[in-house]
Amino acid sequence: MTYQTSSPATVPNADEAHADAEVLQVVGGARLAGQVQISGAKNSALALLAASLLTGEGCEISNVPHLVDIERMSAILIALGAQVLRQGDKLKIRAEQIGYASAPYELVSKLRASFFVIGSLMGRCGRARVPLPGGCAIGARPVDLHVRGLQALGAEVHIEHGIVEARCRCGDRLEGARIYLDYPSVGATETIMMAATLARGQTIIENAAQEPEIVDLANFCIAMGAQIRGAGTKTIVIDGVSELHQASYAVIPDRIEAGTFMVAAAITGSTISIAPVIPEHLGAVIAKLQEVGVRVVQQGRDQLTIIGGHGYRSADIETLPFPGFPTDMQAQFMALLTLCEGNSVITETVFENRLQHVAELNRMGANIKLKGNVAVVSGVPVLSGAPVMATDLRASAALVLAGLAAQGVTTIKGLHHLDRGYENIDHKLRTLGAKLHRTILE
Ligand code: EPZ
């Protein structure tokens, strides 16, 4: 078995061109049944891959989904000098020698999460040179909180020509500090936590993000020998250590993929089971499903059965940091609310441009009025299939869900968005009885 060392930088581009020509055709009206396997969490796996640079001793991360974003992150680790080997759902990473300055822009610009390597590079090397990730379809996505966190840990940071250049002000190790985050940013919490694991002294992150992916990252770092307390709460305490060691770790199940399948059951009036899941990670989603009239039953430790029906009621949603309602489930839930009786008010508070799916759902006969970051969804009896365009990852999932419930055929373009975050979604839906297939439009 040889480690992959050369960067397959071109793969995503080719896929993207092909994906643009490819469409997903969804024939609505099929009932779903059976059980679906939930993959490892994309947003956790990406952070764990970045953290694997913290040790030169090698890591094994399992339950890693096969996704374009994971390929891109692997390519970035390879560009930084790491060796990466994929064996089924396992990634073996060996970052013996890493260069702090060679994350290529063309890769970083395609994967925002890759910016998080700045945290592990600063922790491990005391220096980093990483391109600014830039904005994306859902928002400007600034990194000021990441930068301010690193500055508080004693880094000098210069941003020029689209590159963030950081180095320790004194010596080659960061210094622990108390850091208050103006906003509980997931990415900034992850960057600071990774950097602080190898800093001198204690770091306290206040108003930290509490997402399950933060806890998973902390547990992975602890498995490598880090000293971290309070992950999952608003205050995280990290006592820096001089070095970290090898570790094997399994990624948590993907709560957003799980939530997406829960809505698939609800919107088609079906009963399905999903596993493995961690029900505590889905609290807000389960509560809102129950509020509209869907039954959710837990079986054993890690399985949920969703019992869909009809005659659902409207519900209001406000997206918030965890444990509030996840912004990554907003679009999928909007698709469901288009068929719920009454008016639902959806307020997107996390990203400034994450309501582009409204126009596409209205093309399918939904009745949604938009004002700034608020969408008022007036329930309609049916949706009708139509050609639609996916604008971002979760919007693409919402269009698939709407297509499952719609009368006739829905043709979805922009599948490269979907493939960034859902492993084999077509296949999984087909095993549940959905009627959908990919084709190339002539
Ligand atoms: C993570 O993005 C997830 N991505 C996102 O999932 C998710 O939507 C988001 O957290 C919120 O839950 C990954 O984990 C790879 P943030 P992240 O920093 O870390 C502003 C998906 O669909 N902000 O918590 O980038 C920012 O602009 C993706 O899988 C600053 O202003 O999210 C946003 O409005 C999409 N300055 C808000 O905070 C900063 O320095 C939340 O961003 C950082 C963030």
Side-chain angles (χ1 to χ4, degrees):
M1 290 289 164
T2 52
Y3 278 90
Q4 191 183 346
T5 52
S6 61
S7 159
T10 56
V11 175
N13 300 337
D15 289 353
E16 225 164 73
H18 175 68
D20 274 348
E22 197 178 38
V23 296
L24 184 65
Q25 294 203 310
V26 184
V27 182
R31 271 289 155 84
L32 309 182
Q35 170 150 337
V36 64
Q37 164 107 16
I38 299 299
S39 302
K42 165 184 83 81
N43 289 344
S44 183
L46 290 171
L48 269 59
L49 287 178
S52 68
L53 297 175
L54 287 166
T55 178
E57 289 187 12
C59 293
E60 270 188 25
I61 303 175
S62 55
N63 200 25
V64 179
H66 291 78
L67 298 169
V68 170
D69 276 9
I70 299 291
E71 275 177 37
R72 288 180 176 152
M73 187 58 116
S74 302
I76 286 164
L77 296 189
I78 291 165
L80 289 165
Q83 299 166 320
V84 180
L85 175 71
R86 167 72 91 166
Q87 288 176 331
D89 75 345
K90 194 179 284 179
L91 278 177
K92 292 186 174 182
I93 302 119
R94 189 181 290 277
E96 252 163 278
Q97 308 291 335
I98 47 171
Y100 62 84
S102 41
Y105 172 72
E106 69 277 357
L107 282 175
V108 172
S109 62
K110 284 210 168 68
L111 177 65
R112 286 189 37 73
S114 57
F115 183 76
F116 306 170
V117 297
I118 198 167
S120 41
L121 290 173
M122 282 306 291
R124 172 100 179 265
C125 316
R127 294 186 69 178
R129 197 170 182 282
V130 179
L132 269 175
C136 76
I138 64 176
R141 319 279 302 259
V143 293
D144 55 318
L145 298 173
H146 301 241
V147 170
R148 286 219 305 268
L150 292 174
Q151 287 169 328
L153 291 171
E156 212 167 76
V157 183
H158 296 286
I159 304 180
E160 263 160 20
H161 311 301
I163 302 279
V164 179
E165 176 107 32
R167 70 172 59 222
C168 293
R169 256 194 300 275
C170 352
D172 60 359
R173 270 186 89 185
L174 295 169
E175 296 287 335
R178 181 182 284 273
I179 299 167
Y180 176 85
L181 286 176
D182 290 349
Y183 182 89
S185 150
V186 173
T189 303
E190 292 173 337
T191 293
I192 296 165
M193 192 158 69
M194 286 189 270
T197 55
L198 291 169
R200 222 189 303 277
Q202 183 173 82
T203 296
I204 299 176
I205 309 176
E206 293 186 274
N207 196 28
Q210 300 171 261
E211 271 68 6
E213 294 75 26
I214 301 286
V215 178
D216 213 27
L217 175 62
N219 289 341
F220 175 53
C221 291
I222 291 167
M224 291 194 284
Q227 295 183 11
I228 304 176
R229 288 167 283 136
T233 74
K234 279 194 165 306
T235 305
I236 302 177
V237 180
I238 304 127
D239 291 305
V241 296
S242 55
E243 61 178 2
L244 296 174
H245 53 69
Q246 75 81 35
S248 299
Y249 190 85
V251 176
I252 53 175
D254 195 315
R255 63 192 169 102
I256 305 300
E257 184 198 20
T260 303
F261 278 99
M262 294 172 83
V263 174
I267 205 168
T268 55
S270 311
T271 296
I272 69 167
S273 295
I274 59 172
V277 294
I278 301 174
E280 299 73 49
H281 293 176
L282 288 156
V285 173
I286 293 170
K288 283 296 167 184
L289 282 171
Q290 289 167 335
E291 192 180 323
V292 302
V294 179
R295 285 179 53 216
V296 180
V297 182
Q298 180 170 346
Q299 258 112 19
R301 204 173 39 78
D302 68 355
Q303 179 173 319
L304 291 174
T305 295
I306 301 88
I307 304 163
H310 44 75
Y312 297 144
R313 302 174 291 278
S314 60
D316 295 344
I317 302 262
E318 179 175 3
T319 64
L320 290 165
F322 191 89
F325 189 91
T327 172
D328 295 350
M329 278 300 301
Q330 176 258 100
Q332 300 93 311
F333 227 86
M334 184 186 286
L336 174 63
L337 292 171
T338 63
L339 294 165
C340 295
E341 212 167 313
N343 294 327
S344 304
V345 177
I346 299 180
T347 310
E348 173 54 60
T349 74
V350 179
F351 290 105
E352 67 273 23
N353 190 25
R354 200 172 206 179
L355 291 166
Q356 296 175 74
H357 38 281
V358 167
E360 299 307 299
L361 290 170
N362 279 342
R363 285 173 55 77
M364 298 178 71
N367 178 359
I368 310 169
K369 295 190 180 46
L370 203 46
K371 196 150 183 17
N373 68 337
V374 176
V376 178
V377 183
S378 305
V380 295
V382 293
L383 292 175
S384 52
V388 289
M389 169 63 86
T391 46
D392 59 73
L393 168 57
R394 306 304 172 183
S396 60
L399 297 177
V400 174
L401 298 175
L404 292 173
Q407 292 178 334
V409 179
T410 299
T411 303
I412 305 170
K413 284 196 78 167
L415 298 182
H416 60 281
H417 291 295
L418 193 67
D419 297 336
R420 285 191 41 220
Y422 289 94
E423 185 178 41
N424 295 333
I425 189 168
D426 323 11
H427 171 70
K428 289 185 180 184
L429 283 170
R430 264 197 299 275
T431 54
L432 292 172
K435 297 197 173 25
L436 55 115
H437 68 280
R438 292 190 182 209
T439 182
I440 301 282
L441 276 189
E442 297 311 329

